[in-house]
Amino acid sequence: MSAQVYSVHAACIRGVEAQPVTVEVSVSAGMPNIVLVGMADSGVLEARLRIRCAIKSSGFSVPRASITVNLAPGDMRKTGSGLDLPIAVAILAVSGQIPLNGLDRCLFAGELALDGGVNPIRGEVAYQLLARDRSLMFVGPLSGSHVSFDGVAHEGLSNLRDIAHGVGTGLHAIRMSPTRNDCEEPLDFSDVLGQEAIKRALAVAAVGDLGVLMVGAPGSGKTMLARRMTTILPDLEAREMQDALCIHSVVGERIEGLLVGRRPFRSPHHSISAAGLVGGGRPVRPGEISLAHGGVLFLDELAEFPTHILQLLRQPLEDREVRIVRADGLYRFPCDFRLLAASNPCPCGYLGDDDVPCSCAPAAVERYRAKLGGPLMDRIDLLLDVHRPDPRVILEGAEGASSAELRETVERGRAFRSWRGLNDDEVHAKPAGSSPGDAARRFNLADDAYDALLSMAEATHLTGRGIMRLGRIARAIADMAEKPCVAAEHVMEAAVYQGRRER
């Protein structure tokens, strides 16, 4: 028996991208078995048993011959169960059990069940984007959670037997199209009473894409405020949505909210590992900061996070991507998120409280506050004091600003910022030693605003980074008011948002 060879297009996930893989199958005389070569990990090697059972359960037969499966390129490690379907298709094709027409124009990905069923896999969005880039039809599992992309032809299989008559036979996946009402969480800023000043500060942060740290006693509403932050942000743009869908699909997270434009909100526990926060592991997967791409990363009880974990955020906050180097190469994960954090002012939580005295020793307070300092704090713009609301406000149920009202204000401010043509990336990238005069040009400071900023910088000994931080906040406040120039009142309000920051 002479050797017969056939190949199909496949892919495997590397980071948050699908990398092309060619599945080559050779059938020749010899001991009946299936041999996989091409740097396959243990999960891929287990596919041999699943493929045998799936082929038999679907009414086909496994060739009684020596089957060699090569996964090219041979220098890239292959991971995941998505190679089950392309290997099975290639075996059936080389043995003449299915038509060959159109197979060379398809990208196959799917996990096989023992009864021949084609199960969903992680990273389907990434597979579709690769198929679009290579002008191929994506053939994968028939799933109600399928997301359609423009320019990507798709055919869904519920069972391996569906391919008995070839591809292009009219099998298509259900398109996932949730509505905002189906996905909307019952969260609104109107539920938070007595914190109108903090709501305005969060709106300022949303307009200027600024980092926020809220410091206050337990029960003051810090977490409630944080969890509603995404309700005042504009919907995801097309590119942001595509990146977010790809990341969440690879990790296996739900994507219904992303599909209706809602920005992600991630709140990791302070016991999280370094790999869990920034990404890593084996295989390398994105972390919480990448899952927050386009949305909000909320760090509750900031002082409880280990210092070395917090310092890992410094580079991603500046570069807006994570670069992880491993022996098999470089991985890049996008992570353009809004940093939102909350903390108690001291270990007991009542330092500076009007009603409850602090029970902490001075040395304990200093150690606690030292954990909130350091280079990470230089990346946080607004530092807000959050006080417990008046009990009468809670009992009487006074109405405050709602998410809809704040969102409208934020959208107007961001639209005005776009109209001005302000390049935020250029401002953020400006060296820390920028002078007030340079800030006056970049932020369009009026004369009184320049005098106010200069006076404040001298009185409080602000560094160059501090001056630029104050200017960014004032500029965001002016954008909310739709004012081309920053006035002194905007600078003074911005100074209020510096809170307990050590000068």
Side-chain angles (χ1 to χ4, degrees):
M1 178 181 179
S2 60
Q4 305 174 56
V5 179
Y6 192 81
S7 63
V8 300
H9 298 289
C12 69
I13 298 297
R14 186 178 186 276
V16 293
E17 297 179 342
Q19 297 294 326
V21 173
T22 300
V23 176
E24 300 175 320
V25 173
S26 172
V27 177
S28 59
M31 182 72 67
N33 65 350
I34 300 177
V35 177
L36 268 68
V37 297
M39 288 190 70
D41 72 353
S42 59
V44 178
L45 293 175
E46 290 175 352
R48 294 172 296 181
L49 302 177
R50 292 194 296 268
I51 290 169
R52 281 187 177 276
C53 293
I55 289 177
K56 293 179 180 179
S57 299
S58 302
F60 301 107
S61 60
V62 180
R64 296 185 59 80
S66 176
I67 303 173
T68 302
V69 180
N70 179 42
L71 307 176
D75 61 348
M76 181 179 72
R77 180 166 294 280
K78 318 303 186 303
T79 62
S81 58
L83 292 169
D84 290 11
L85 179 60
I87 293 174
V89 169
I91 292 174
L92 296 177
V94 76
S95 59
Q97 299 183 67
I98 60 173
L100 303 183
N101 294 339
L103 294 183
D104 59 340
R105 298 191 298 273
C106 298
L107 175 70
F108 295 91
E111 177 184 327
L112 293 178
L114 298 185
D115 62 355
V118 183
N119 296 328
I121 52 174
R122 291 182 176 181
E124 184 176 319
V125 172
Y127 288 114
Q128 290 194 75
L129 296 178
L130 176 63
R132 183 182 65 183
D133 294 342
R134 298 174 67 87
S135 300
L136 299 172
M137 178 196 296
F138 174 67
V139 179
L142 182 64
S143 170
S145 61
H146 172 71
V147 181
S148 297
F149 288 94
D150 293 337
V152 183
H154 176 261
E155 183 165 312
L157 307 175
S158 61
N159 193 283
L160 189 58
R161 69 172 66 93
D162 293 340
I163 207 171
H165 302 292
V167 295
T169 55
L171 296 170
H172 298 284
I174 304 170
R175 179 171 182 171
M176 191 175 190
S177 56
T179 64
R180 179 170 286 274
N181 290 334
D182 295 334
C183 305
E184 195 71 45
E185 294 181 0
L187 296 177
D188 195 283
F189 267 112
S190 61
D191 300 330
V192 185
L193 306 179
Q195 299 291 2
E196 299 309 302
I198 304 300
K199 292 181 186 180
R200 174 173 171 81
L202 293 178
V204 171
V207 170
D209 289 331
L210 306 173
V212 180
L213 170 61
M214 295 180 288
V215 179
S220 56
K222 302 185 297 295
T223 303
M224 288 185 66
L225 288 161
R227 292 192 177 278
R228 287 156 177 77
M229 184 66 176
T230 55
T231 64
I232 65 174
L233 294 173
D235 288 347
L236 287 166
E237 298 177 357
R239 180 63 188 180
E240 291 177 319
M241 181 182 295
Q242 178 177 298
D243 290 342
L245 284 171
C246 195
I247 295 168
H248 282 69
S249 177
V250 166
V251 178
E253 295 280 339
R254 297 178 65 88
I255 59 176
E256 291 88 341
L258 300 176
L259 290 173
V260 297
R262 277 180 42 202
R263 294 182 179 270
F265 178 88
R266 307 296 299 186
S267 180
H269 191 261
H270 57 75
S271 62
I272 191 171
S273 65
L277 184 64
V278 301
R282 187 175 181 89
V284 178
R285 293 277 175 82
E288 287 290 327
I289 62 175
S290 293
L291 288 167
H293 177 70
V296 172
L297 177 70
F298 176 50
L299 303 181
D300 201 2
E301 302 297 342
L302 184 66
E304 301 299 330
F305 282 80
T307 302
H308 74 280
I309 294 292
L310 293 179
Q311 299 313 315
L312 293 173
L313 295 175
R314 293 166 55 191
Q315 178 263 332
L317 282 170
E318 292 185 356
D319 298 343
R320 301 177 186 177
E321 74 169 5
V322 178
R323 293 185 293 272
I324 300 176
V325 180
R326 293 290 185 267
D328 59 343
L330 174 66
Y331 295 80
R332 296 178 183 270
F333 301 142
C335 60
D336 187 3
F337 58 89
R338 286 84 176 162
L339 178 61
L340 188 57
S343 176
N344 294 333
C346 66
C348 77
Y350 294 102
L351 180 66
D353 190 87
D354 297 332
D355 302 318
V356 183
C358 174
S359 60
C360 302
V365 174
E366 287 302 319
R367 286 195 301 270
Y368 193 84
R369 297 188 68 178
K371 297 184 68 175
L372 300 180
L376 179 62
M377 286 301 298
D378 284 336
R379 277 74 178 177
I380 292 178
D381 302 290
L382 282 73
L383 209 164
L384 309 175
D385 278 322
V386 183
H387 299 281
R388 290 198 306 275
D390 189 330
R392 285 172 293 188
V393 174
I394 305 298
L395 293 174
E396 295 172 3
E399 293 186 4
S402 67
S403 292
E405 295 169 340
L406 293 171
R407 181 188 176 101
E408 183 179 355
T409 302
V410 170
E411 289 178 342
R412 285 203 311 266
R414 293 175 70 94
F416 184 80
R417 187 184 72 175
S418 299
W419 175 79
R420 287 190 304 103
L422 176 62
N423 189 329
D424 280 344
D425 290 337
E426 184 178 352
V427 172
H428 282 277
K430 189 65 182 172
S434 302
S435 67
D438 191 54
R441 178 177 62 84
R442 291 182 174 275
F443 300 127
N444 199 9
L445 298 175
D447 291 342
D448 60 344
Y450 176 88
D451 294 338
L453 181 58
L454 182 59
S455 175
M456 192 168 300
E458 293 174 345
T460 58
H461 310 291
L462 286 179
T463 63
R465 189 188 294 273
I467 293 172
M468 297 303 289
R469 179 191 299 118
L470 196 59
R472 285 198 299 270
I473 301 172
R475 182 64 263 177
I477 295 171
D479 287 338
M480 279 184 61
E482 299 180 284
K483 300 293 184 182
C485 295
V486 176
E489 61 183 293
H490 303 141
V491 175
M492 300 307 293
E493 182 180 352
V496 174
Y497 299 144
Q498 295 299 289
R500 305 170 188 248
R501 187 185 301 276
E502 296 294 336
R503 306 292 179 179

